[in-house]
Amino acid sequence: MAKKRPQTKGKSHVSSGEIPVVGAREPCPCGSGRRYKACHGRAAAHAVTELVQRPFEGLAGEGDWIALRELVPAATVRLTLTESLPDGVPSVTLATVLPMAWPALRRDDGSVLLGLQNDTSSGDLSRDLADTLQRALTAEPGTPVQARRAPADGPRLQDLLDPSAAFEPVVHTGFEFWVPDSENASPEVAASLERANAAAIPTVKLSGVDGAYWCETPDKNHLRWVMPHPEEQLLDALARLHAAGTSSLAEGTRLVGSFRAHGLTVPVWDLPTGMSAEDVEKPAAEFAERLAAALDSEAPLTVEERKARGGLTNRQVTLS
């Protein structure tokens, strides 16, 4: 026999915008008498699981956001908010990763560090980061901000950050930016820094093109280039260049595949071990010109170009 639902007559109701998040099995705060998961929790659960394919779309430096999230070990960026910073908060800085994988940290001086390379509880990375940032702005100085489920109707980074401000990553050789005075850090912090620095892959951001990062590994060097173009159009263009024998950057380099990350495509080139970031600057700029011409072509792909496209597609790896 089905259970009768509790009567709701006479109960006070509040608007949807005022419904707080509670446990799934708890009574819904709206006063309906139903459990939260069967009432207003449905929309919240949907928002938590719905994947936003391009969480950084609309932000300045979308490609760099993706690179810092997925590819770059140690980097920081000074962020500019649309509103003035609260009293006692001198600055807000985005960091690739923080000690203990903290989502954010309010330093002793009141400044805020926001970690980018963290697990998030919803399908909208932008909303999760915005929630963490807002809580960091009001956290007690000297304390980390812990992870939590962001409200489904909370703001996104696009709502909090000044769209006109430049996004200028500073790539570091190590994680000394974690502490103001790394030379006088405690033995525990010094040991943590040493371990993190030992695992960091040397990385350099190219200055001549956007979203491109050179990195050094024991066997060979690589160039990873986050490109803003629609995936299908970009793959067609890369296939045209590959079939024409012009998809490499210079002698000894080779386009080996691509990543998919947060809605954009990241072509990857193998480079000789002796090819530095400075060495790849000019070839990358020249490749950008060839790519622009290939992107403008509307001609159907030839048989060889379709074959090249199939090879590129088979060598794609999805990071997010």
Side-chain angles (χ1 to χ4, degrees):
M1 184 175 179
K3 293 183 179 179
K4 293 183 178 179
R5 288 182 178 173
Q7 298 297 314
T8 60
K9 184 177 180 180
K11 288 184 178 287
S12 61
H13 292 259
V14 293
S15 66
S16 297
E18 299 172 342
I19 304 299
V21 176
V22 298
R25 299 178 64 85
E26 294 180 33
C28 187
C30 75
S32 67
R34 289 179 289 172
R35 289 177 178 174
Y36 180 68
K37 67 177 183 179
C39 192
H40 283 85
R42 287 180 176 176
H46 178 70
V48 167
T49 57
E50 186 177 9
L51 178 64
V52 175
Q53 296 290 342
R54 289 179 63 179
F56 305 119
E57 185 176 15
L59 293 174
E62 180 184 8
D64 290 315
W65 277 92
I66 293 172
L68 268 57
R69 165 74 180 183
E70 302 293 343
L71 306 173
V72 180
T76 55
V77 185
R78 183 66 66 92
L79 297 180
T80 302
L81 276 59
T82 54
E83 298 182 358
S84 300
L85 293 175
D87 291 340
V89 180
S91 64
V92 174
T93 301
L94 180 74
T96 47
V97 67
L98 296 178
M100 309 299 291
W102 287 326
L105 171 67
R106 180 91 186 271
R107 283 176 159 169
D108 291 334
D109 66 356
S111 61
V112 167
L113 287 178
L114 177 66
L116 184 56
Q117 296 179 9
N118 291 301
D119 293 333
T120 57
S121 59
S122 82
D124 188 351
L125 180 57
S126 177
R127 195 180 307 281
D128 291 331
L129 288 168
D131 177 69
T132 300
L133 173 56
Q134 283 191 313
R135 290 186 291 127
L137 293 173
T138 58
E140 290 293 326
T143 61
V145 175
Q146 302 301 328
R148 75 167 190 181
R149 186 175 70 182
D153 59 350
R156 307 178 74 239
L157 288 174
Q158 289 81 348
D159 302 316
L160 302 183
L161 301 183
D162 183 352
S164 65
F167 189 81
E168 300 175 341
V170 177
V171 179
H172 303 277
T173 57
F175 295 89
E176 282 75 18
F177 62 85
W178 281 355
V179 290
D181 187 6
S182 59
E183 293 184 357
N184 296 318
S186 67
E188 293 81 4
V189 172
S192 179
L193 279 172
E194 184 177 357
R195 289 192 298 271
N197 289 342
I201 296 174
T203 301
V204 177
K205 175 177 167 58
L206 298 195
S207 60
V209 294
D210 293 333
Y213 290 79
W214 171 95
C215 67
E216 179 183 16
T217 64
D219 297 329
K220 61 187 68 176
N221 299 343
H222 302 280
L223 181 70
R224 301 163 176 174
W225 192 341
V226 186
M227 295 188 170
H229 318 290
E231 181 180 13
E232 297 302 316
Q233 181 187 8
L234 176 59
L235 288 175
D236 282 352
L238 292 174
R240 296 181 195 278
L241 296 178
H242 199 67
T246 58
S247 64
S248 63
L249 298 174
E251 183 178 356
T253 70
R254 185 167 67 98
L255 175 63
V256 293
S258 62
F259 298 126
R260 284 193 191 99
H262 305 289
L264 295 185
T265 302
V266 189
V268 178
W269 285 264
D270 279 351
L271 311 175
T273 53
M275 192 172 196
S276 68
E278 184 177 358
D279 295 333
V280 83
E281 287 279 7
K282 182 178 178 181
E286 293 172 345
F287 178 86
E289 294 180 0
R290 297 197 299 274
L291 180 64
L295 287 166
D296 287 339
S297 176
E298 297 181 355
L301 295 181
T302 66
V303 172
E304 287 302 314
E305 289 169 347
R306 289 199 300 271
K307 182 179 178 181
R309 193 186 194 283
L312 292 171
T313 302
N314 290 335
R315 296 195 297 275
Q316 280 188 315
V317 176
T318 299
L319 299 181
S320 61

